Amino acid sequence: MINFPQVHPLLAPVVELALKAGEVILPFWRSGVAVTAKSDDSPVTAADLAAHHLILAGLTALDPSIPVLSEEDADIAQDVRSRWQRWWLVDPLDGTKEFISGSEEFTVNIALIEQGRVVFGVVSMPTNGRCYFGGAGLGAWRADAGETPQPIHVRETPGAGEAFTVVASRRHSSPEQERLLAGLSDSLGELQLANIGSSLKFCLLAEGAADCYPRLAPTSQWDTAAAQGVLEGAGGEVLELSGVPFSYPARESLRNSFFLALPAKAAWREKLLALARG
């Protein structure tokens, strides 16, 4: 039994649920699982659906009054969602393309949202049992399989001899993002790029292994909310390009705007915002 920090009454059971979802996913991994396409042409597998059903049942059992918005059950009218004050935002298998390719870089994401802001998030890695969790004002932790959770925190500057590290997506970029990276390199020196899939990009920042994650390319709400909670608990922040905190309003589209993830006290914060807007 993991000894969880007692910072929120729902945190420990949600971490356990995310780990159980990973156990449901693993038998499908590297097994030649069949892939079908959703209406937006994104892939879905039996593993996505198995994890979705387990998480939906588990969250409903925890508190049936809290509605669930999952990638695999997202066809909920905006006028219904606009009445929600508190809800779960779930990606049962984030990084489905990585999962299909046989990579280990896929996760289970579960976030609790109140009034459009992340209360806490849980990100688990099915292949090794590692789990990240945290929230603004609560703290953030990494728990490796069977071990006591260890607090994690962002780094405000790279250590001596370390390069400024920017997290990028293996699969998604844009001309705007490439221009931003070029501007950062001109301002801060040669960059080291850390390419990793799924919501693990935020987690690298949260544990101080990277410095910045700019995303000037498409994402959906369930891709980011859980890991945003981890990063905010670790002393980071996620901003819209205007500089306001990134949030999850019940708008018609579930697509995110562009965002910047970084340490909240970074000295280069305004430079990053200026480059992103430029």
Side-chain angles (χ1 to χ4, degrees):
M1 179 67 69
I2 299 174
N3 183 23
F4 290 102
Q6 300 301 309
V7 294
H8 192 286
L10 293 173
L11 179 60
V14 173
V15 173
E16 295 286 8
L17 186 59
L19 294 172
K20 288 178 182 176
E23 294 172 0
V24 167
I25 289 169
L26 271 185
F28 297 96
W29 183 49
R30 296 179 176 173
S31 66
V33 63
V35 182
T36 56
K38 294 188 284 191
S39 59
D40 62 357
D41 290 328
S42 61
V44 63
T45 70
D48 296 79
L49 297 174
H52 162 73
H53 290 303
L54 182 142
I55 293 169
L56 179 61
L59 293 176
T60 302
L62 272 179
D63 189 334
S65 72
I66 305 177
V68 179
L69 178 62
S70 166
E71 180 180 12
E72 308 312 332
D73 186 17
D75 190 17
I76 302 172
Q78 189 270 342
D79 65 325
V80 173
R81 291 185 282 109
S82 67
R83 296 193 291 270
W84 295 353
Q85 301 300 307
R86 183 163 70 149
W87 67 95
W88 298 107
L89 188 48
V90 176
D91 193 340
L93 201 170
D94 180 34
T96 299
K97 291 180 180 178
E98 280 76 17
F99 172 81
I100 293 167
S101 73
S103 166
E104 296 186 2
E105 295 173 1
F106 59 90
T107 60
V108 175
N109 299 345
I110 306 175
L112 179 63
I113 312 294
E114 286 187 3
Q115 303 290 342
R117 299 302 304 275
V118 182
V119 177
F120 68 76
V122 177
V123 176
S124 74
M125 297 181 65
T127 55
N128 59 16
R130 177 173 294 171
C131 191
Y132 297 88
F133 51 92
L138 303 179
W141 294 263
R142 188 185 91 179
D144 290 325
E147 297 186 9
T148 300
Q150 298 299 313
I152 56 176
H153 202 276
V154 297
R155 67 186 191 190
E156 294 176 19
T157 186
E162 292 186 274
F164 188 93
T165 301
V166 179
V167 185
S169 171
R170 285 193 200 286
R171 301 177 182 274
H172 305 286
S173 188
S174 67
E176 296 94 337
Q177 187 150 313
E178 295 305 315
R179 286 194 293 270
L180 173 60
L181 293 178
L184 275 178
S185 181
D186 290 343
S187 299
L188 300 171
E190 184 176 355
L191 305 179
Q192 179 173 317
L193 297 183
N195 291 294
I196 193 167
S198 71
S199 55
L200 294 170
K201 293 181 278 290
F202 289 93
C203 297
L204 283 183
L205 265 70
E207 61 184 349
D211 300 287
C212 176
Y213 170 31
R215 185 63 180 237
L216 278 63
T219 56
S220 295
Q221 290 190 357
W222 45 75
D223 295 322
T224 56
Q228 178 177 341
V230 175
L231 179 60
E232 290 177 343
E237 63 181 353
V238 183
L239 303 174
E240 295 188 21
L241 302 195
S242 65
V244 303
F246 200 72
S247 61
Y248 299 87
R251 56 178 176 260
E252 184 69 31
S253 173
L254 294 169
R255 287 287 190 182
N256 287 329
S257 57
F258 293 168
F259 62 81
L260 306 167
L262 66 156
K265 296 181 180 180
W268 38 266
R269 181 181 189 271
E270 294 307 315
K271 169 63 72 174
L272 178 66
L273 283 165
L275 287 169
R277 294 169 185 147

